Amino acid sequence: MPTFMTDGDLLLRLEPAVEENLTRHIAESDDWHPHDFAPWDEGRNFAFLGGEDWSPEQSHLSDVEILSATVGVLVADNLPAYHRELARALTGLGAWWKWTGRWTSEENRQAIVLRDYLVLTRAVDPVALERVRMEEMTKGYDAPSLHVLDIIAHFAIDETAAALRNTNTIALGGDEVLAKILTKIAADDTRQASFYVNIVNEAFGVAPDQMARAIADRVLGYAIPVVDLPSKANSTEALKDAGIYDEDQQCDKVFKPLLERWNFFGRDDLGDEGKKAREELAHLA
Ligand SMILES: [Fe+2]
């Protein structure tokens, strides 16, 4: 009879794996710096300091690139809200806490570089962008509080999805500097996804049915972060129309590869509850 493990049990049992994976994550990380990717010589003052204010013709990015970078910066700008949720659920033990700090600092790096780039190159209206940032952060990350296994499954999915959006934008072959920035961000997201993938695999070893349940719930309930764009368009619809992210890509390039990395359909350690969860995802086998 499988024993139900509480979040407290799981945090404790998984902590050595978190420590080990955090150490590996840092060792494998590319120590890139946002200032290296900001084209400072393109920057000039706005009217407040005697220069010229933004106007649409100053942007040299395609609409799709503007959309992708704007979604990226707004999601990253909402970081304190995500951090708040992680800090609430993963606190109390050293390695989890260190990971939360590391992840937050990497996400912040993404917000810094994208914002510097967009403002310096006058790719977007800085007033509209700032207004939306304030609204996003005030609204916060409005989702029900999750348990530990749901969090690790959710972020394995979310980081894989983020990397895919950035990779698809790079593939458009547009602005070279933006492509370099998105390459660094996608690599960070891929490494972060691997961290969560590994912790999920570790959790299967201690609570297989609970882990299978959490994966089924998170896959079936997953939606990429939605932000209100300055244009007021729905970001998920806009990304779909631009070919950057849609449900078919999500199935083939996010869900299926992750389920494979967890050997979700080949596991022999699941009880009745786990098998039931697995059946719910049979369409992804
Ligand atoms: Fe990320």
Side-chain angles (χ1 to χ4, degrees), residues 103 107 110 159 162 189 192:
W103 179 84
E107 296 296 309
Q110 301 181 1
E159 292 295 356
D189 288 338
Q192 293 167 345

Side-chain angles (χ1 to χ4, degrees), residues 106-122:
E106 290 183 6
E107 296 296 309
N108 197 13
R109 175 164 70 179
Q110 301 181 1
I112 292 167
V113 71
L114 283 172
R115 178 165 287 275
D116 283 349
Y117 175 81
L118 291 174
V119 174
L120 279 171
T121 61
R122 297 189 172 232

Side-chain angles (χ1 to χ4, degrees), residues 178-241:
L178 180 63
K180 281 187 183 139
I181 290 170
L182 296 180
T183 300
K184 290 294 180 192
I185 292 177
D188 277 358
D189 288 338
T190 301
R191 271 188 295 270
Q192 293 167 345
S194 283
F195 171 90
Y196 288 112
V197 165
N198 294 344
I199 303 304
V200 166
N201 267 328
E202 196 69 25
F204 263 121
V206 296
D209 282 5
Q210 283 173 257
M211 193 62 251
R213 178 73 265 152
I215 288 172
D217 288 346
R218 290 309 110 209
V219 166
L220 294 172
Y222 182 70
I224 56 170
V226 182
V227 292
D228 291 328
L229 295 167
S231 64
K232 297 294 170 206
N234 175 290
S235 58
T236 303
E237 285 299 313
L239 290 171
K240 182 179 173 184
D241 293 345

Side-chain angles (χ1 to χ4, degrees), residues 204 208-209 262-271 274-275 278:
F204 263 121
D209 282 5
W262 294 323
N263 189 24
F264 192 74
F265 296 105
R267 307 195 69 88
D268 57 10
D269 53 1
L270 299 182
K275 285 177 185 161
R278 179 156 65 187

Side-chain angles (χ1 to χ4, degrees), residues 18-30 99 102-103 105-106 109 187-196 198:
V18 170
E19 183 80 54
E20 186 191 323
N21 277 279
L22 172 62
T23 303
R24 185 186 311 133
H25 176 88
I26 292 172
E28 290 175 355
S29 285
D30 175 5
W99 165 255
R102 172 74 194 198
W103 179 84
S105 66
E106 290 183 6
R109 175 164 70 179
D188 277 358
D189 288 338
T190 301
R191 271 188 295 270
Q192 293 167 345
S194 283
F195 171 90
Y196 288 112
N198 294 344

